[in-house]
Amino acid sequence: MRIVVLISTVAIVLGGLLLSRAPIQRNDCATETATFGAGCFWGVEAAFRQVKGVTDTTVGYMGGTLKNPTYEQVSTHRTGYSEVCQVTYDPAQVSYEKLVDVFFRIHNPTFFNSSGDDIASQYRSVIFFQNAEQENIAIAVRDRLQASGKFSRPIATAIVPALEFKPAEEYHQRYAEKHHLASCLITP
């Protein structure tokens, strides 16, 4: 049984890649997980929710040491956590490589601890890989982009093993969608 839920009718153009009206689909297929940090997790989540083949997204924290971090604690820049979006996807509909391509299109990966107006360690550019295949793909995409000359500075994105994912508070989930925001320039 397949249930399709239309989340947004907004089209997003990411560096020439049009992602339009891609509904989040919930189905019984085997899914995989990808985790990305690219600045404010609201905007990262909003972008990935538009990708056909993405079945779910959850914003949260990864990479730190506290048992149950809160947004306020992560915002102190002393926990080691990154704001991330955990993406659940159907690999029969979208490849991990395409998700990594989207990741590199939605932020400037040449700045390690910032994305746009967001400048702090929790906003670092990071791919948390789940297995060796994801690691190899992420490195290959990064290296291909670096060699392309698209960026005038070296790509600073960290590609590191996934750690325990800590979901953010409920009010952060689908924040941009709930508040009709195109970006995350507004803070709660």
Side-chain angles (χ1 to χ4, degrees):
M1 178 167 108
R2 180 174 271 192
I3 300 170
V4 177
V5 180
L6 183 60
I7 299 301
S8 175
T9 58
V10 177
I12 296 177
V13 177
L14 301 171
L17 177 64
L18 178 63
L19 308 170
S20 64
R21 300 184 188 191
I24 295 290
Q25 297 180 357
R26 305 206 190 315
N27 56 44
D28 296 332
C29 68
T31 59
E32 294 184 20
T33 301
T35 308
F36 302 101
C40 171
F41 51 25
W42 299 339
V44 177
E45 179 183 43
F48 279 108
R49 289 188 65 74
Q50 300 302 313
V51 178
K52 183 178 185 209
V54 169
T55 61
D56 199 11
T57 57
T58 305
V59 297
Y61 316 108
M62 190 174 278
T65 57
L66 295 177
K67 185 174 177 120
N68 295 304
T70 65
Y71 180 75
E72 290 73 23
Q73 290 170 319
V74 172
S75 295
T76 68
H77 323 294
R78 291 178 282 186
T79 65
Y81 280 102
S82 293
E83 287 190 17
V84 297
C85 180
Q86 191 158 78
V87 177
T88 306
Y89 66 100
D90 176 354
Q93 293 186 49
V94 64
S95 69
Y96 181 74
E97 182 175 356
K98 287 192 188 282
L99 295 177
V100 174
D101 283 335
V102 169
F103 163 81
F104 280 113
R105 286 187 175 114
I106 63 175
H107 77 299
N108 183 343
T110 66
F111 293 98
F112 182 64
N113 281 340
S114 69
S115 180
D117 291 336
D118 300 323
I119 302 171
S121 61
Q122 75 265 25
Y123 299 127
R124 66 186 171 265
S125 178
V126 60
I127 297 172
F128 287 100
F129 60 84
Q130 307 292 324
N131 53 47
E133 181 181 12
Q134 284 188 356
E135 177 184 24
N136 292 336
I137 291 168
I139 290 169
V141 171
R142 180 203 59 202
D143 291 351
R144 182 184 74 227
L145 284 172
Q146 189 64 60
S148 75
K150 177 179 178 168
F151 300 105
S152 60
R153 297 168 28 123
I155 293 174
T157 302
I159 300 173
V160 298
L163 300 171
E164 186 177 0
F165 175 73
K166 306 287 188 168
E169 298 82 351
E170 180 56 36
Y171 74 93
H172 287 295
Q173 305 304 325
R174 301 181 186 169
Y175 188 91
E177 181 182 318
K178 290 175 190 173
H179 298 281
H180 309 288
L181 301 175
S183 68
C184 54
L185 297 177
I186 301 170
T187 57

